[in-house]
Amino acid sequence: MADGQGAAPAVSKTPSDFLKSIKGKPVIVKLNSGVDYRGILACLDGYMNIAMEQTEEYVNGQLKNKYGDCFIRGNNVLYISTVRS
């Protein structure tokens, strides 16, 4: 766009920035086994170990368990996603 208007400039956001921005927010953590954990992200470390609150465990899309607090070892994590409103 020659007039300087058009697409907004791309904002560079690192994975670390993303993880910092979702602390205290609802997330979905998918494990290598296919199990999903949904809850509030309390904290995580450099090894991707995750602590969650108000956690629900889903197996094949079905709610299986509810936990107050949950700790997930980082090497089991496939991905972390924010919950869309």
Side-chain angles (χ1 to χ4, degrees), residues 26-77:
V27 295
I28 300 171
V29 177
K30 179 92 166 183
L31 303 187
N32 295 327
S33 65
V35 176
D36 291 352
Y37 288 89
R38 300 175 190 196
I40 308 299
L41 180 65
C43 62
L44 65 135
D45 66 13
Y47 295 102
M48 293 295 292
N49 295 319
I50 298 169
M52 297 174 68
E53 301 170 340
Q54 303 171 26
T55 310
E56 298 176 334
E57 178 183 46
Y58 288 83
V59 179
N60 297 324
Q62 300 284 326
L63 178 62
K64 291 294 179 185
N65 255 319
K66 290 187 178 186
Y67 306 103
D69 295 328
C70 169
F71 181 81
I72 301 171
R73 187 172 169 167
N75 68 335
N76 295 313
V77 175

